Amino acid sequence: VSVANVEDAHSSTRLLAQTTLRNILGTKDLHEILSDRESISGSMQVVLDEATGSWGIKVERVEIKDARLPVQLQRAMAAEAEAAREARAKVIAAEGEQKASRALREASQVITESSAALQLRYLQTLNSISAEKNST
């Protein structure tokens, strides 16, 4: 029996640690869970030490070796990660479209400034079309 009359301090601390771990993992992305174990451990140690201090228990160290996530949570986190990847891909595609439109604008300015440039572009197009026809 601990100082605060907790019947089984070891089991109570274990249950509190499990609950704390679930609560902390619920606030993290999958990437954060996999890469920031040390910071998660530190957060858990602070929470556990505060909660168990009144029981007469001092939490000196928390180490996360393995965390098993429920399948439903894994699916939710995977869907979130997939959405983030798709969002980044759309941003990259939009940036590529912007660069292409700038290049086309610059090319059109060059062509409008010189009639010879338009004629050269026309000849280049004919050359590439004829090269494609000859290869088949």
Side-chain angles (χ1 to χ4, degrees):
V1 177
S2 69
V3 175
N5 294 327
V6 175
E7 280 285 324
D8 189 358
H10 180 72
S11 294
S12 297
T13 304
R14 254 181 109 93
L15 289 173
L16 181 62
Q18 289 173 358
T19 303
T20 304
L21 180 62
R22 282 190 201 108
N23 290 341
I24 291 176
L25 292 183
T27 64
K28 305 285 183 184
D29 293 336
L30 183 58
H31 169 71
E32 292 173 325
I33 292 171
L34 297 175
S35 63
D36 295 335
R37 286 186 179 183
E38 292 82 21
S39 68
I40 293 172
S41 297
S43 300
M44 280 191 64
Q45 181 176 350
V46 169
V47 171
L48 290 173
D49 197 37
E50 288 175 2
T52 59
S54 63
W55 301 348
I57 297 173
K58 169 75 174 139
V59 177
E60 293 181 354
R61 184 184 68 201
V62 174
E63 183 179 338
I64 299 174
K65 293 182 180 180
D66 185 28
R68 293 184 205 125
L69 303 174
V71 174
Q72 187 176 4
L73 182 58
Q74 289 176 5
R75 287 182 184 147
M77 289 177 152
E80 181 183 353
E82 179 68 23
R85 280 192 299 275
E86 287 176 5
R88 283 192 300 273
K90 287 179 182 179
V91 168
I92 291 169
E95 289 172 352
E97 290 290 328
Q98 267 186 332
K99 288 178 183 177
S101 67
R102 284 190 198 113
L104 285 172
R105 183 183 65 209
E106 290 172 10
S108 69
Q109 288 172 348
V110 169
I111 288 174
T112 57
E113 291 172 2
S114 170
S115 60
L118 181 60
Q119 184 65 29
L120 284 173
R121 182 66 188 131
Y122 175 72
L123 292 173
Q124 283 177 332
T125 304
L126 286 177
N127 186 29
S128 55
I129 290 172
S130 65
E132 289 174 12
K133 299 289 184 186
N134 287 336
S135 65
T136 56

